[in-house]
């Protein structure tokens, strides 16, 4: 049975510190501050960038959608009516003109990674775009890829295979009109 030994020490007396052989580190070494390379600390603030993007992001984007299934290229205009910062994300709302079809859209732009999710909400879209699908961009608005809600569209097995949406914020005043045929 271990015994407890108590003794009175005068003020200023020193008790020698013995290192515990069961500890792998000397407890004194734990008190030494670590040196941190100033270049390794991230100073980027994605919440502040989301707020900045909501105020400065262009509201009009133009371009084309090229389906991979052989359907003709379609001219696209994206009009953003609402950009709301939500933490590291920017909530996007607006309309998308796909040729002669207009659909409401909503999406998210991640302020740190520039990843974009854009969902057309219309029931009647163009051939190759089925309701429930999503445009995914890894570098903002261009290029983005269409991800169908399923591997094949049951109404037409040749659709639903994807496509490429290329948008640019420098829209010209006159967008080419797509033929109706």
């Amino acid at each position: 049975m271990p015994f407890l030994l108590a003794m009175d020490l005068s003020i200023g007396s020193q008790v020698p510190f013995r290192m515990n052989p069961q500890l792998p580190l000397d407890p004194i070494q734990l008190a030494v501050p670590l040196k941190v390379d100033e270049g390794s600390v991230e100073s980027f603030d994605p919440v502040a960038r989301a707020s900045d993007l909501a105020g400065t992001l262009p509201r009009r984007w133009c371009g084309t959608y090229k389906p991979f299934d052989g359907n003709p290229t379609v001219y696209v205009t994206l009009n953003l009516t609402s950009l709301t910062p939500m933490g590291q994300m920017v909530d996007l709302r607006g309309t998308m003109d796909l040729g002669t079809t207009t659909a409401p859209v909503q999406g998210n732009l991640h302020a740190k990674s520039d990843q974009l999710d854009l969902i057309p909400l219309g029931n009647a879209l163009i051939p190759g775009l089925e309701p429930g699908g999503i445009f995914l961009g890894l570098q903002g608005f261009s290029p983005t890829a269409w991800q169908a809600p399923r591997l094949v569209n049951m109404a037409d097995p040749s659709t639903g295979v994807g496509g490429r949406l290329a948008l640019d914020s420098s829209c010209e005043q006159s967008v080419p009109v797509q033929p109706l045929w």
Side-chain angles (χ1 to χ4, degrees), residues 60-125:
R60 182 172 163 89
W61 296 78
C62 300
T64 58
Y65 172 70
K66 174 68 176 153
F68 296 148
D69 62 2
N71 279 318
T73 299
V74 177
Y75 293 102
V76 177
T77 304
L78 173 65
N79 294 301
L80 299 173
T81 56
S82 170
L83 286 88
T84 307
M86 296 179 158
Q88 296 183 15
M89 306 291 281
V90 179
D91 178 61
L92 310 169
R93 306 288 170 114
T95 60
M96 179 181 275
D97 297 328
L98 299 154
T100 58
T101 303
T102 300
V105 293
Q106 76 178 54
N108 297 309
L109 178 64
H110 194 276
K112 185 173 182 179
S113 66
D114 284 335
Q115 291 181 347
L116 173 73
D117 300 331
L118 198 57
I119 306 167
L121 301 175
N123 288 329
L125 301 172

Side-chain angles (χ1 to χ4, degrees), residues 103-104 106 117-126 128-136 145-151 153 160:
Q106 76 178 54
D117 300 331
L118 198 57
I119 306 167
L121 301 175
N123 288 329
L125 301 172
I126 61 172
L129 299 183
E130 182 182 1
I134 186 171
F135 287 106
L136 298 173
W146 174 254
Q147 181 179 359
R150 51 187 167 192
L151 292 177
N153 182 334

Side-chain angles (χ1 to χ4, degrees), residues 1 4 13 25 31 36 38 61 63 69 75 77 93 98 110 117 131 138 154 166 171-172 177-179:
M1 171 175 232
L4 180 62
S13 64
L25 296 175
V36 177
E38 292 180 22
W61 296 78
D69 62 2
Y75 293 102
T77 304
R93 306 288 170 114
L98 299 154
H110 194 276
D117 300 331
L138 299 178
M154 296 305 172
C171 295
E172 296 179 15
V177 178
Q178 182 172 355

